[in-house]
Structure formats: structure tokens, C-alpha cells
Amino acid sequence: MSAILPGATIGFLGGGQLARMMALEARRMGYRIAILDPDPDGPAGQVADHCIEGSFDDVDAAQRLAEHSQVVTLDTEHIPAEVLERIEKTTPVRPSADVLRIIQDRLNQRRFIEAQGAPQVRWAAVSDPESLKEAGESIGFPCILKTRRSGYDGKGQARIERATDLADGWEAIGKAPAVMEAFVDFDREISTLLARGVDGEIRFHPLAHNDHRHHILHISRAPADVPPEMARQAQEIGEGLATALGHIGMIAAELFVKRDGSLLVNEIAPRTHNSGHYTFGACVTSQFEQHVRATCGLPLGDPSLQRPAVMLNLLGDLWSGGEPDWTSVWSHPSAHLHLYGKASARPGRKMGHVLVVDDGKNDPGAVAEKIYQDLQGAAPRASVARAG
Ligand code: AMP
């Protein structure tokens, strides 16, 4: 199929921050943007040409988006695969319904990773009290129970310390069908970020080293400080999974590095990824432009890192006393503020991020940490609570 060129409209299923940053890059390149989201004034809606208000399971709304667009992509893997299947009859959808069917169900994803022979955490399926007990016996403790569907950032997850807590753990995730995983005492977490084009071409962004707090990404550093052999293995795992999926676009594999240096796949995200936000400002081609290029069938861009960088997530907790005071960000010329335009802040909600690039004088990690501490300690600029 021929490339979809600037001037064409790219449709986004989901209008969150990933769609916003893809839309900003796509607009710079001359594309037009349509989105489907329950909130037309959300992060991507604010920068789109055309917004369709609707829920992610609204097939008619998705069909209208597809009619408006030359190609459709997404900013969340939680769009029902059935919706994608319907619209891909008329419009190219990247990634495809087949990819989402595997990814959006943790059990399918675990089975897929196993079939590819990629290393992953020990896991067992849980669907009733009997399989819960059996899973506890085979996986051991501590373990983590994760719902098969709709989980993210630690939502739909329960850590279980001992056999007597199994029933409570399952109750905590609403007794939903789940996957039990062994709790990994990892040395660190890294992610491999790559794009796969329509012709199967693969390009890697540098690996990110990720620190989470309360299951939510806090800081990513790039490049990850890992031995070259480990970096090669991480990229090989990502490439194998992307190719086996037949994926088109950006894809991330989150990996645990065990204390013996071996790697385990935690999960796959078939889209742009929070640990790749550093690419927007630090790489020749950001993950957002790269995804647009892959989606539109263009040659992929150069993903090289121009300067080492650190990305600090800004969660809603920082808004507890009103809009944060950004003085600390402005006072570091190598720090760049990204806000997603979300109207209401809640604890744990991703409101924006700060990118700190290496200026050759200061350690970007130390600058990011200083900014974080200042933002936490700073008195709010005004006590005007944000709407909603
Ligand atoms: P997830 O939503 O599955 O990506 O989990 C979010 C974070 O929780 C991960 O990045 C880890 O920091 C932690 N986590 C998830 N699963 C495990 C596990 N099996 N063992 C140890 N930590 C985990």
C-alpha cells in the first residue's frame, strides 16, 4: 500500500497524552488530526482538527472516526479488538485488531510471549477459587495477582504475601479473571523501545532505565547504563516480539533485570510508551514522530539520542495545593516542561513531565531530582483549585 502523506488525516482512538504528543508531531509534519474520546476537550482533543465524542466501545463512533481518516491508530491498548476489527474493513488500522487481541488480555499476552520463547516471569492463570489455590502452590509467595483486562499503573493488581491471603487478594481485584505472577526481586527495570515499519524495518530508540513508585513510572533515564550484551539481548527480545506480532508502529517491552543479569519480560505495550517520553526533545526523531511515520507507511526516522536525558513524571499529587510553582523548572535552562492540558488533577494521574537534557555541566538525574523535591516542597503559586 502506498504511503499516507502529509495533508491526510490520522485518526486516534483515545485522546490522552500519547495521542496529544503524536498529534503535535503529526501536525508539525502537516497531517490533520481526528480523535475519538469521551472527552473532546482532553489532552489530544485540544490539538485536534476534529473530535468525535464517544466511548471506546462505541462502534458507530469509531466508524465515523474511520470515515474521517486515511489511517487509524491508538493511544491505549484498551480499545476493544472487536471495534478495530469492524473499522479495519474500510480503513487501515495500525496496530491491528489481531495485535490488540493478544496484548489487551494478560493471559493471551503471557501465552504469546511463551510461544515466542522469550524469557518472562513465572505465571499461572486464575479463574476460580480452585485455580487460585493451585496458582498459589505453583508460583509461591510473595506473588502478584493482575486482572486479565484493563489494568495499568498498578490498577487491578494485588500483592499477596502468604497462602492465607489468597482469597483477600483475589477479592481486592474484584474476583476478576486474572494472571498470578511470581514477585521478581529485580535489580532494575529497563524498557526497549522500537518501531516497526510497514515493510518490517526495525529501528531502536536507546534503552531507558526506569524507576517506579507505587507501580507508576517516576523517572526514566536514557541511555540506560547496561552492558552492551544486555542491551543487545533486550533489543533482540523486543524485535522478536514485534515481528511475531506483525506489529506496525512503536512498541515497548518492559523488562526486569534480575540480580544475575538475566532479563524477564514484564509486559508489552504496542504503542508509544511513557518511558519513551525522553525521546521528545532528546532524540533526532521522537517516538511520537516515529509512530506517525510507521503508521503512515513512511520510512522510519533516525532514533539516535542527541544528549543523555532524564524524564520526570508529574503526577496529580503535585497539584494537591493548586497549580504547582514551576519556578524550579524555569531556573534550569536544560529542563523542559510538558503539560498535557488535563482539567482535573488526581493523585497518581499523569499530568505532564519534565525533560532534563544533559548540558555537559550538571548531572541531568540530579537536576530532575532537585526539581522534583522543589515541586513537592514549593508552596502553590495560587490556591485556585483546578476545575473538575
Ligand atoms: P505493570 O502495570 O504490570 O507494568 O506493573 C507496574 C510496576 O509494578 C512494574 O513496573 C514493577 O515495578 C511492578 N511489578 C509489576 N509486576 C511485578 C512482578 N511480577 N514482580 C515485581 N514487581 C512487579
Side-chain angles (χ1 to χ4, degrees):
M1 211 186 110
S2 56
I4 295 155
L5 295 172
T9 298
I10 304 175
F12 290 89
L13 287 162
Q17 64 267 22
L18 301 180
R20 177 185 178 100
M21 290 183 270
M22 289 187 277
L24 290 171
E25 290 280 64
R27 279 205 142 186
R28 174 179 55 75
M29 296 163 76
Y31 288 98
R32 311 208 66 149
I33 310 298
I35 66 148
L36 165 65
D37 196 87
D39 177 8
D41 192 36
Q46 295 165 17
V47 298
D49 297 279
H50 186 74
C51 300
I52 293 167
E53 192 174 335
S55 65
F56 296 151
D57 56 1
D58 183 341
V59 179
D60 293 333
Q63 197 69 57
R64 273 184 280 134
L65 178 82
E67 281 159 14
H68 234 90
S69 314
Q70 277 71 55
V71 64
V72 171
T73 187
L74 35 95
D75 89 335
T76 162
E77 59 276 36
H78 299 304
I79 308 288
E82 302 71 42
V83 171
L84 265 62
E85 200 170 63
R86 273 284 292 280
I87 59 173
E88 67 190 6
K89 292 193 169 90
T90 56
T91 311
V93 180
R94 293 163 180 165
S96 67
D98 287 346
V99 171
L100 280 219
R101 211 171 281 113
I102 293 169
I103 299 292
Q104 65 191 197
D105 179 331
R106 273 190 203 274
L107 181 56
N108 291 350
Q109 194 181 133
R110 289 275 169 235
R111 287 182 173 142
F112 167 76
I113 296 170
E114 187 164 284
Q116 301 315 312
Q120 63 175 331
V121 295
R122 285 187 301 113
W123 62 274
V126 170
S127 54
D128 51 30
E130 203 163 295
S131 52
L132 176 69
K133 187 165 167 284
E134 282 168 12
E137 283 161 5
S138 72
I139 300 297
F141 301 93
C143 63
I144 301 188
L145 208 49
K146 301 180 179 178
T147 54
R148 281 175 60 175
R149 290 183 168 272
S150 306
Y152 68 98
D153 287 344
K155 293 191 176 68
Q157 298 189 9
R159 181 177 153 140
I160 302 177
E161 300 295 335
R162 55 190 79 81
T164 48
D165 295 342
L166 276 170
D168 287 348
W170 198 34
E171 180 90 44
I173 60 161
K175 291 191 176 174
V179 172
M180 183 184 287
E181 296 177 2
F183 185 80
V184 182
D185 176 31
F186 52 75
D187 172 49
R188 64 180 95 167
E189 293 185 77
I190 59 173
S191 48
T192 179
L193 307 154
L194 64 108
R196 186 169 179 276
V198 285
D199 54 359
E201 179 195 10
I202 300 269
R203 289 222 173 204
F204 297 103
H205 278 91
L207 297 176
H209 175 182
N210 308 317
D211 285 335
H212 290 78
R213 292 203 181 157
H214 309 296
H215 302 275
I216 304 176
L217 185 62
H218 173 53
I219 269 187
S220 287
R221 298 177 178 81
D225 182 17
V226 297
E229 176 55 21
M230 188 188 287
R232 197 193 55 75
Q233 274 176 21
Q235 293 191 328
E236 206 173 271
I237 290 170
E239 175 167 3
L241 295 171
T243 305
L245 279 171
H247 178 70
I248 296 174
M250 283 296 302
I251 185 165
E254 298 177 18
L255 304 167
F256 296 140
V257 181
K258 290 206 316 187
R259 300 197 182 272
D260 64 4
S262 58
L263 299 172
L264 296 176
V265 177
N266 173 30
E267 65 181 7
I268 311 169
R271 49 169 166 77
T272 51
H273 192 258
N274 195 170
S275 68
H277 288 4
Y278 79 85
T279 65
F280 196 17
C283 289
V284 177
T285 307
S286 73
Q287 63 165 350
F288 305 105
E289 174 174 350
Q290 197 75 306
H291 186 82
V292 168
R293 284 174 175 248
T295 300
C296 292
L298 300 176
L300 299 180
D302 174 4
S304 351
L305 191 65
Q306 293 171 302
R307 284 194 278 171
V310 172
M311 188 251 13
L312 168 73
N313 260 347
L314 301 174
L315 302 185
D317 311 58
L318 293 171
W319 273 251
S320 60
E323 185 80 11
D325 178 346
W326 303 116
T327 307
S328 180
V329 181
W330 312 139
S331 69
H332 293 94
S334 59
H336 303 274
L337 183 64
H338 293 241
L339 289 178
Y340 309 145
K342 293 185 182 179
S344 60
R346 288 190 301 274
R349 191 172 199 205
K350 291 172 180 169
M351 302 296 289
H353 66 266
V354 174
L355 176 74
V356 183
V357 289
D358 193 339
D359 60 5
K361 296 192 288 276
N362 304 291
D363 168 27
V367 173
E369 200 49 54
K370 170 84 174 72
I371 290 173
Y372 182 59
Q373 273 161 19
D374 289 348
L375 287 174
Q376 275 187 314
R381 188 174 47 79
S383 59
V384 184
R386 305 200 103 208

